[in-house]
Amino acid sequence: MARNDERRRLLTDAGIGVLAADGMRGLTHRAVDARAGVPTGTASNYFRSREALVGALVERIGERLAPDPAVHAQWRDRTPTAALFADYTRDIVRRLSAERDVTLALFTLRLEAARSPAIASALGDWMRAGFAADVAFNRDAGLPGGAFEIALFHYAIEGLILDRLTVSIDPEASTDEIVEAFVEGLLGGRTRDGERRG
């Protein structure tokens, strides 16, 4: 069978759907084939092992959650302030919320990583590379906050998204207001070394 990028995307998107709907136990080559509507054996032709399939899913999750360059372009000439940081943060929350299946699949893989060294390795490498890119982007854009603050935002935003996509402790609370509170709390306060932000 000739391999092509379109078929690979179809299969990985189907795998993401399987993860979101059925969890790791449901993730088989056969289930991916069925969800993609392709002949049995197609997924195993593209991904010879479950480990290879998971690696491809991690890669595809990254592609689907990547920022839209057009959205970022509209902010390029703005003064780098906490308000701009909040806009970038709201964009992250919007992407994670809009791509519900992708985000649920990512959370599923993160939980499975606690039990599987192979998944922990693949996912950990991807997450740490993404974090380093976030820190570099923030620095290069002149936005407030360093690596420590960016890590805090990851912890906070991932908790918020988990709350919004699963069972919320306060479903009526405004997501935008929560993001504003994160920005004020983290960038409006003191840094880890005690210096007051301006």
Side-chain angles (χ1 to χ4, degrees), residues 76 78-82 84-85 88 135-145:
R76 190 172 296 127
R78 284 178 53 190
T79 303
T81 62
L84 179 57
F85 189 100
Y88 281 111
V135 172
F137 174 84
N138 207 66
R139 181 193 62 238
D140 294 346
L143 290 165

Side-chain angles (χ1 to χ4, degrees), residues 16 31 44 80:
I16 286 168
S44 60

Side-chain angles (χ1 to χ4, degrees), residues 2 25 28 31 36 50 54 59 71 90 98 121 165 173 179 197:
R25 288 187 184 183
T28 64
R50 193 167 192 241
V54 168
E59 181 181 324
V71 171
R90 274 192 289 276
S121 176
L165 294 185
V179 169
R197 295 201 173 281

